Amino acid sequence: MPSFQYKAIDRNGRKTRGRLDAYNEIDLELRLRKMRLDLITARLLAQDAPAVGSSNITRQDLITFCFDMEQISRAGIPIVEGLRDLRDGLQNPRFREVLTSALEDIEGGKTLSEALAAFPKVFNKIFISLIRAGELTGELTEVFENLGTTLRWQDELVAQTRKLLIYPALVFLVVGSVVIFLLMYLVPQVVGLLTTMGIDLPLQTRVLIKLSELTSDYWYLLLFVPLLIIGGGAIAIKSSSRLRYAFDYFLLRLPVVGQILQKILLARFANFFALMYRSGITILDAIRTSEDIVANGYVADGLRRAGQQINAGENLSEAFKNLGMFPPLVVRMLRVGENTGALDTALMNVTYFYNRDVKDSVDKALKLLEPTLTLLLGIILALILFSVFTPVYEVLGQLDI
């Protein structure tokens, strides 16, 4: 279906712009009217233009959507009427366009999951699978409630992880800037003073002078080479599955950070896996769908191997134990759940375990980061100042004699 870039006006006289799929301009005008918009101008986009709803729809929009759909389903309001009211109250024009297209598909005979599946960049495989399971089991209310809770947890986790990464990045930026300033401005001035005195310089001072000269002469290399290495590495990792796998494995083996990252990935998997199983999706389908959500080639490969073992007749707890990624307590909880026939409860306990473990790990890491990085900054500055002022103190000592 062609896509149009349009300019329209709403009932309050405010102009709005957006992108919408339509067969022609007449169809576009009718679709906009359903959104309570009057068409002003329209322009046909190229076929390879970005798809509707592929951007500008945040996780917070999806959380609000899940909450509203939960209330619509719980109140017994028909899906079409509820979606129409929900669409009319949306502030995000892109999301409004997505729901308009979904509404037309539902009115044309499609189910909610089929209509939303047309926008894979907005609603991922797990989202669609859960809604489809909810439609089949008649538990759409619970599905939207669990989805909203999981997305909120994911939002909090992203915020915590961002905090964990941004703080050291800022500290290293400050440390790097201070070190470069000292090497390019302070050290040359002190070197000039020491040279006029004609004294023998200790080894650490000579090393510092050499670093200062390299920094002053090749500062552009220090600035651009790391950027080129990072950019080239990112492109190579994206283009090669082997490099991506090796890089993902390397990330998980980093000291401290690697353990926290692995817990975050397994927590994300545990949340969605428990959610899918509880919604009636089979274990193999849940594992297969979860391979994409972990966003790590090494962990995804492990889940793929676990799925193969389960398909060959192994039980869930043994398959996860063989991976070596899950701690013994998690495996034991799963084994108890399998033996008692309460695997859904065991999976929710695993989810709680990982959520608590990740939160505690991130909190501890944040508390340790500040004194550790402050100490690191102090050591670097102390080494530079020691190398600079040692010969000066030696000269002053000789003068006192």
Side-chain angles (χ1 to χ4, degrees):
M1 187 183 296
S3 186
F4 289 86
Q5 183 81 39
Y6 68 82
K7 184 191 295 183
I9 189 170
D10 63 14
R11 301 298 167 86
N12 296 322
R14 292 176 298 188
K15 291 183 180 180
T16 182
R17 298 173 184 268
R19 185 183 294 113
L20 192 62
D21 290 342
Y23 292 105
N24 50 47
E25 289 196 20
I26 296 175
D27 184 36
L28 175 66
E29 188 171 2
L30 292 174
R31 290 174 184 242
L32 288 173
R33 247 179 228 172
K34 291 181 180 180
M35 298 167 62
R36 299 184 180 179
L37 295 172
D38 293 322
L39 179 65
I40 299 176
T41 60
R43 179 172 62 88
L44 182 64
L45 294 175
Q47 292 298 319
D48 58 349
V52 173
S54 61
S55 61
N56 296 335
I57 296 178
T58 64
R59 188 182 287 108
Q60 192 59 48
D61 291 328
L62 292 177
I63 292 172
T64 304
F65 173 74
C66 289
F67 175 78
D68 290 337
M69 290 301 297
E70 176 201 342
Q71 301 307 311
I72 289 169
S73 179
R74 195 182 298 279
I77 300 172
I79 293 293
V80 173
E81 295 179 13
L83 276 176
R84 190 178 292 118
D85 293 337
L86 179 58
R87 177 203 62 191
D88 293 341
L90 285 176
Q91 299 296 321
N92 188 327
R94 283 293 180 86
F95 209 178
R96 194 163 59 238
E97 293 163 11
V98 169
L99 292 190
T100 298
S101 296
L103 267 170
E104 291 179 354
D105 289 340
I106 294 172
E107 290 171 346
K110 289 185 177 181
T111 62
L112 177 62
S113 59
E114 290 172 340
L116 297 182
F119 306 97
K121 293 185 179 179
V122 179
F123 306 101
N124 59 31
K125 290 181 182 178
I126 291 182
F127 202 102
I128 300 302
S129 299
L130 288 169
I131 293 177
R132 186 180 296 117
E135 290 171 334
L136 294 174
T137 59
E139 297 182 352
L140 210 52
T141 303
E142 289 75 11
V143 166
F144 277 115
E145 181 182 5
N146 292 332
L147 262 174
T149 302
T150 302
L151 288 172
R152 274 193 295 272
W153 169 83
Q154 206 172 11
D155 202 46
E156 294 172 1
L157 186 61
V158 168
Q160 286 181 322
T161 308
R162 194 174 291 146
K163 215 188 303 181
L164 182 66
L165 297 176
I166 288 177
Y167 181 76
L170 289 175
V171 171
F172 280 122
L173 180 63
V174 172
V175 170
S177 301
V178 171
V179 170
I180 290 173
F181 172 78
L182 292 175
L183 291 176
M184 292 184 69
Y185 294 98
L186 176 63
V187 174
Q189 293 180 10
V190 176
V191 168
L193 175 62
L194 297 176
T195 304
T196 57
M197 292 180 178
I199 61 174
D200 292 331
L201 300 177
L203 175 62
Q204 68 269 17
T205 305
R206 294 199 301 272
V207 171
L208 186 64
I209 292 172
K210 194 62 179 176
L211 287 175
S212 176
E213 292 173 352
L214 290 173
T215 304
S216 300
D217 295 339
Y218 301 104
W219 61 270
Y220 51 91
L221 292 179
L222 296 175
L223 181 62
F224 293 113
V225 168
L227 294 177
L228 290 174
I229 292 174
I230 292 172
I235 293 172
I237 288 169
K238 284 184 179 180
S239 59
S240 172
S241 57
R242 287 187 178 182
L243 282 177
R244 178 58 190 262
Y245 182 90
F247 179 72
D248 289 340
Y249 179 81
F250 168 74
L251 286 178
L252 297 180
R253 292 298 177 268
L254 288 173
V256 183
V257 176
Q259 292 181 355
I260 295 176
L261 179 59
Q262 182 169 337
K263 289 178 182 179
I264 289 172
L265 295 177
L266 294 178
R268 188 186 301 167
F269 162 73
N271 270 271
F272 282 105
F273 182 71
L275 190 54
M276 285 187 284
Y277 182 81
R278 207 173 192 181
S279 301
I281 298 173
T282 64
I283 288 177
L284 285 175
D285 288 339
I287 290 178
R288 204 172 291 119
T289 308
S290 298
E291 290 174 13
D292 295 330
I293 206 68
V294 293
N296 183 282
Y298 178 73
V299 177
D301 182 64
L303 295 178
R304 194 176 301 113
R305 286 187 280 111
Q308 291 171 353
Q309 292 179 27
I310 294 170
N311 193 37
E314 197 75 74
N315 56 39
L316 180 66
S317 58
E318 285 300 318
F320 281 3
K321 179 182 178 181
N322 294 337
L323 290 181
M325 295 181 185
F326 297 90
L329 181 59
V330 169
V331 175
R332 185 175 295 277
M333 285 191 289
L334 291 174
R335 186 178 292 117
V336 170
E338 288 176 324
N339 293 336
T340 59
L343 188 56
D344 55 341
T345 304
L347 287 171
M348 295 311 294
N349 289 337
V350 170
T351 299
Y352 175 79
F353 169 84
Y354 270 118
N355 290 352
R356 184 65 179 267
D357 196 23
V358 166
K359 187 177 184 304
D360 290 344
S361 298
V362 173
D363 288 343
K364 287 178 183 176
L366 287 172
K367 289 177 182 177
L368 287 173
L369 267 177
E370 186 173 352
T372 302
L373 293 176
T374 303
L375 179 63
L376 177 63
L377 175 60
I379 291 173
I380 293 173
L381 293 178
L383 287 173
I384 293 175
L385 294 177
F386 174 75
S387 302
V388 168
F389 291 113
T390 297
V392 176
Y393 286 139
E394 289 179 359
V395 172
L396 292 176
Q398 292 174 3
L399 291 176
D400 289 339
I401 294 173

